[in-house]
Amino acid sequence: MTNSLLKCLSVLLAVGTCISCTPEPIDLGVDDRFGALPATALTPIQNPYSPGKVELGKLLFWDPILSGNKDVACVTCHHPSHGYAEQLEFSIGVGGQGLSALRRNGTIVKRNSQTILNTAFNGITSDGYYNPEVGPMFWDNRSKSLEKQAIEPILSAEEMRGVQIPKEAILDTVIQRLERIPVYVALFEEAFGEHAITVENLGRAIAAFERTLITNQSRFDQYAAGKPNALSSFEIRGMMNFIETGCANCHSGPMFSDFELHVLTVPENDQLNILDDGDGSFAFRTPTLRNLGITSPYMHNGVFSTLEEVLEFYDEAADASQNPNVSSAQRDEKLRQLQLEDDEISSIIAFLKSLNDDHFDAEIIKEVPSGLHPGGNIDL
Ligand code: HEC
Ligand code: HEC
């Protein structure tokens, strides 16, 4: 027998042995209703991935050229240094100065800024199914898809438009501004072909960039992928408590959200007396629980600044409404009577922290094609 044939046989044998002794997958107790995030995000048929589009989208995300007074960019309220969200109870848009907790003056937006991280997966179910063409966006799910959502802040008087330019005119104004900047003309052409500077393509480029902002390497994801040591026993206990106390009835799927609206009776935020800012239902979408370590304050009105406060709220929410404007009868039936022990609370919080993951693009852009200050008036 030749040497090479021998080698071949031994490889075959080795492979054979390996297969026959592959251990059964261990049951790590991860509930069927949640799990790891997928490796990459699906794209709409009309908006396939391309590196050029992502680069363009990132510049647009940072460029205040998209705002009426050229002072606010998407990144102003969704900054990489703050988990693509910000440490502010309510966002401050047009006319504001400073970044995150230091931001002041300017127009107040009536909701807490959501993180852009993993919004590519908005709508994903426990089975891993989602359609990026209709991904639900905002605290009330009122916009569908990243492409469509990206246009909304530009139209909003509080966020980016201001009052000088009417709503009907702002998109034409923005397109004309971009057409006058040769770098943008070239980047849009590269990404979309000729005469490519349109409102639709603006939304597509920003969405393509947002789809790259995914964090699927948290310790929980590693654990769910079969690494038992990725979580401590205390965190695993926290996961069990999370399931047993009914958190997973709403915080389900790989995003830890059912993407449904629920009435929780979250207290009003005294900082800004806006009762219900929406349709009067006091119903808000279950938010993702990923990256909570960098996205405080919490809830649609930023009323809680720590996870301890959130857990204390849940502990009492099933007893009585925490909001005088919402009756106990309106409260979601899935909210359970909890009476949590301190140890249970801290284990759940430890588990939630295992969903943090800082492997995302946190580059601070130094220059944008308009020549304006990247991020707008974010320096004090
Ligand atoms: C002035 C602050 C501000 C600016 C500027 C801003 N946003 Fe937002 N963003 C918010 C707030 C606040 C919310 C939640 C609003 C709501 O629910 O009504 C939000 C929500 C979102 C969401 C929904 C996330 C989810 O999970 O549903 C996306 C996506 C988003 N913004 C992207 C953008 C893009 C793209 C831009 C720029 C074109 C932008 N934002 C500009 C404050 C801002
Ligand atoms: C009935 C559905 C439901 C249940 C059960 C539930 N949640 Fe929530 N959760 C929500 C909704 C809806 C919000 C947003 C409420 C708002 O903004 O007014 C929320 C918000 C949160 C937030 C704030 C996240 C952020 O980014 O602002 C955390 C943390 C949280 N829930 C953890 C938990 C934990 C832990 C449990 C179990 C003790 C739990 N939730 C049970 C639906 C639910």
Side-chain angles (χ1 to χ4, degrees), residues 23 87 120 125 139 152 160 165 176 186 205 219 278 292 295 329 353:
Q87 284 167 336
T125 63
W139 281 103
E152 298 297 329
M160 294 176 80
I165 304 175
Q176 281 158 18
R219 285 187 300 107
L292 294 171
T295 60
K353 287 182 178 163

Side-chain angles (χ1 to χ4, degrees), residues 141-154:
N141 284 343
R142 69 185 181 281
S143 177
K144 308 284 173 193
S145 88
L146 285 173
E147 280 77 1
K148 292 205 188 79
Q149 189 286 329
I151 307 305
E152 298 297 329
I154 304 175

Side-chain angles (χ1 to χ4, degrees), residues 243-303:
I243 298 166
E244 277 158 26
T245 51
C247 309
N249 290 339
C250 302
H251 294 282
S252 56
M255 286 286 277
F256 291 81
S257 168
D258 57 3
F259 292 98
E260 299 285 340
L261 305 182
H262 299 279
V263 179
L264 296 195
T265 74
V266 168
E268 298 298 333
N269 185 334
D270 297 337
Q271 188 201 314
L272 195 68
N273 205 3
I274 4 158
L275 302 174
D276 182 24
D277 58 342
D279 58 3
S281 66
F282 290 88
F284 295 96
R285 183 186 86 204
T286 311
T288 181
L289 298 181
R290 290 180 173 272
N291 301 308
L292 294 171
I294 43 173
T295 60
S296 80
Y298 306 112
M299 305 302 191
H300 70 278
N301 56 4
V303 72

Side-chain angles (χ1 to χ4, degrees), residues 204-222:
R204 286 178 180 143
I206 293 176
F209 165 61
E210 291 173 312
R211 283 201 181 89
T212 65
L213 300 175
I214 61 185
T215 66
N216 51 18
Q217 298 174 52
S218 73
R219 285 187 300 107
F220 166 77
D221 290 281
Q222 296 172 34

